[in-house]
Amino acid sequence: EGLKQKKTITKEVRTVARKSLLNTASPVFDSAGNLRYVVSNIRNQVVFSHNLKPQKYVSPEEFCINEFSQIKTDLPYKVVDTWGDGYEIVFNSDAMAAVVELAVQLGRVDSTVLVHGETGVGKELVTRLIHSTSPRSQSGCFIKVNCASLPANLVESELFGYEPGAFTGALRSGKIGYFQEAEGGTLFLDEVAELPLEVQAKLLDILQDRQVCRVGGTRNVPIDVRILAATNRNLEQMVSDGEFRKDLYYRLNVIPIEVPPLRERAEDIAVLVKHFAAKLREKYNINKEIDPKLIKHLTDYSWPGNVRELYNLVERLMVTVSHDKITLSHLSEHLPTSLSSASSKQFFAEQQSYLPNNFSGTLKEMVNKFELAMIEKMLEQCNTHAEAAKKLGISLSSFTRRLRKQREQEGCRQE
């Protein structure tokens, strides 16, 4: 339509998952008036309608009613849309419900917040939720700065900006920093523990005075910015070790939020797997299901990488497994050694119920007894030898040969 009418067109579209989106196509012309291309901007309906009428501020109470929705599937769970493309908090545990409730409550105020938690737990999502439920979502942007990724010699110029000619290679026009870029909105300092000590001192002054001075400048510029910070390190220990300023720690830690690791909210694992699988089915147009037994098994793992690690695993399984149903048997190729070991322990524990009572003797004798018990148990569950061999992951000829050999040995021992 944009190409045909040569004007901006906006229409509502719906995805396979019945999600409502707004698609705006904007034609771009060259100096001669010829149509060069069309820019298509697809946005979440909630994001669009919310930003379209900034005078209608959505309070945290309204947010809870309208956006804190419970999605009904075969396993109910809650999804909080933080009004960003793909930024959703998915949970079913009371621990995460308390975090979400506190984050929405903090949208009412302008206090500085320090989010603690291990890597991959979703600290950024919490800060985005705080911003999206605050009036600042109407007056300014959410600017994220990963402090660990800033070059050591450019930290100050990136954060605070610089004047023209402040240093070799500087732009002639100068540059505003992240603090001024976030004017009226929220500045999120991720990995704040990685800031050098000299920058920490300047950050403390800005938090106290609410003014910023560019590198190479002499004039302080007032700023209206809310500061949210996050770290996966123990700042109290860093203060004791002299690696982080004590005064800055207390200035940042006005209201702390602790996001629990995934191992402490195992009830979230199943709903996260289901949610991620649904997203990946839509993203890659694939139709695969994950066996509930596999999902149950994932709760036995400690997940050091937390939600991020879980998402990576689900994507790996959805993309690489060739079967329509992903089962426990596919895990060994895709899981860390520790989880594979947990799988082996669980598998062995499940077999204990039908191991022979005389499970003793030499290693070879015990292996033979276990193999025979496994083969006979599989025969009880299957209709044919071929089906049993397939479930055990061996060929039919190998299955028949082992069965005959084991029964012959057992018969000799009985005689």
Side-chain angles (χ1 to χ4, degrees):
E1 289 297 315
L3 287 168
K4 186 186 299 183
Q5 300 187 30
K6 294 186 178 181
K7 67 178 184 179
T8 300
I9 302 292
T10 299
K11 287 189 175 182
E12 181 181 359
V13 296
R14 287 189 176 274
T15 67
V16 177
R18 301 179 182 273
K19 188 174 183 180
S20 179
L21 303 173
L22 283 177
N23 189 353
T24 300
S26 304
V28 178
F29 303 91
D30 60 18
S31 57
N34 300 314
L35 180 64
R36 294 292 303 278
Y37 48 84
V38 172
V39 177
S40 184
N41 183 19
I42 302 175
R43 306 180 67 185
N44 187 305
Q45 181 85 292
V46 175
V47 178
F48 186 84
S49 61
H50 187 67
N51 292 336
L52 184 64
K53 299 178 180 179
Q55 70 273 17
K56 285 191 176 181
Y57 163 62
V58 179
S59 69
E61 292 82 0
E62 291 176 291
F63 177 88
C64 286
I65 295 171
N66 297 331
E67 306 304 328
F68 191 44
S69 59
Q70 185 167 343
I71 298 178
K72 294 291 184 181
T73 62
D74 56 329
L75 181 61
Y77 59 95
K78 303 178 183 68
V79 177
V80 174
D81 187 348
T82 63
W83 296 339
D85 296 334
Y87 295 111
E88 296 173 326
I89 302 177
V90 180
F91 64 96
N92 205 28
S93 64
D94 293 339
M96 277 307 296
V99 171
V100 169
E101 183 179 350
L102 178 57
V104 172
Q105 183 179 352
L106 292 176
R108 303 187 181 100
V109 296
D110 234 8
S111 304
T112 303
V113 178
L114 180 60
V115 184
H116 304 264
E118 297 177 6
T119 180
V121 294
K123 298 186 292 294
E124 180 184 343
L125 294 180
V126 174
T127 60
R128 288 183 178 274
L129 179 58
I130 294 173
H131 170 77
S132 63
T133 55
S134 75
R136 288 187 176 273
S137 62
Q138 302 301 300
S139 59
C141 300
F142 178 92
I143 303 295
K144 174 191 173 182
V145 181
N146 189 324
C147 300
S149 67
L150 296 176
N153 59 333
L154 295 177
V155 174
E156 288 194 43
S157 60
E158 290 293 320
L159 288 176
F160 315 127
Y162 58 83
E163 296 291 343
F167 52 86
T168 303
L171 296 175
R172 292 183 178 181
S173 59
K175 181 184 176 182
I176 65 170
Y178 287 119
F179 274 88
Q180 286 184 275
E181 189 177 345
E183 177 67 22
T186 302
L187 180 64
F188 172 43
L189 299 175
D190 195 12
E191 305 294 347
V192 69
E194 308 305 321
L195 286 175
L197 284 170
E198 57 271 19
V199 178
Q200 292 179 26
K202 194 165 185 178
L203 175 59
L204 177 66
D205 291 337
I206 293 175
L207 291 174
Q208 290 175 338
D209 303 332
R210 296 291 167 176
Q211 293 182 333
V212 64
C213 181
R214 298 185 187 181
V215 175
T218 57
R219 183 172 62 91
N220 288 328
V221 180
I223 56 170
D224 176 22
V225 176
R226 181 181 190 176
I227 304 297
L228 303 178
T231 182
N232 59 6
R233 300 182 64 181
N234 188 334
L235 287 187
E236 290 186 2
Q237 185 61 48
M238 291 183 67
V239 169
S240 300
D241 297 339
E243 299 176 353
F244 200 84
R245 292 182 63 101
K246 185 176 182 179
D247 46 7
L248 178 59
Y249 169 67
Y250 288 120
R251 180 65 67 173
L252 290 173
N253 199 41
V254 177
I255 301 179
I257 295 181
E258 183 73 33
V259 183
L262 195 55
R263 63 180 175 274
E264 294 180 6
R265 45 187 176 101
E267 56 265 55
D268 287 341
I269 294 176
V271 298
L272 284 165
V273 171
K274 286 177 173 288
H275 185 76
F276 293 154
K279 290 286 185 181
L280 291 165
R281 278 194 290 268
E282 181 181 358
K283 179 179 180 180
Y284 296 122
N285 193 26
I286 53 180
N287 186 24
K288 295 179 183 178
E289 296 294 331
I290 298 181
D291 191 336
K293 292 182 180 179
L294 184 153
I295 297 176
K296 183 177 182 299
H297 172 69
L298 296 180
T299 59
D300 295 331
Y301 182 51
S302 61
W303 297 106
N306 292 291
V307 180
R308 186 182 296 118
E309 182 184 5
L310 179 61
Y311 177 84
N312 291 342
L313 171 65
V314 175
E315 181 171 12
R316 196 180 313 140
L317 290 170
M318 293 286 286
V319 171
T320 61
V321 173
S322 56
H323 299 80
D324 290 337
K325 188 171 185 178
I326 303 170
T327 65
L328 197 58
S329 62
H330 298 114
L331 285 181
S332 58
E333 305 173 19
H334 302 278
L335 292 185
T337 304
S338 55
L339 186 48
S340 298
S341 299
S343 177
S344 300
K345 291 177 183 177
Q346 179 184 346
F347 175 78
F348 186 79
E350 290 173 352
Q351 317 313 320
Q352 293 289 340
S353 60
Y354 56 85
L355 284 175
N357 295 328
N358 59 337
F359 194 61
S360 60
T362 66
L363 176 61
K364 184 175 181 180
E365 289 172 343
M366 287 191 290
V367 169
N368 289 337
K369 289 178 182 178
F370 180 75
E371 188 174 271
L372 178 61
M374 288 294 300
I375 290 175
E376 292 187 336
K377 184 66 177 180
M378 196 58 67
L379 282 173
E380 294 176 6
Q381 299 175 355
C382 303
N383 297 321
T384 64
H385 285 192
E387 183 183 353
K390 184 178 180 180
K391 286 194 173 184
L392 288 172
I394 58 178
S395 65
L396 177 59
S397 59
S398 177
F399 177 85
T400 305
R401 185 172 59 254
R402 289 172 188 232
L403 178 60
R404 184 172 60 249
K405 178 182 176 182
Q406 297 294 356
R407 285 180 173 173
E408 287 175 355
Q409 291 178 352
E410 189 66 20
C412 291
R413 281 192 292 270
Q414 289 177 356
E415 290 176 2

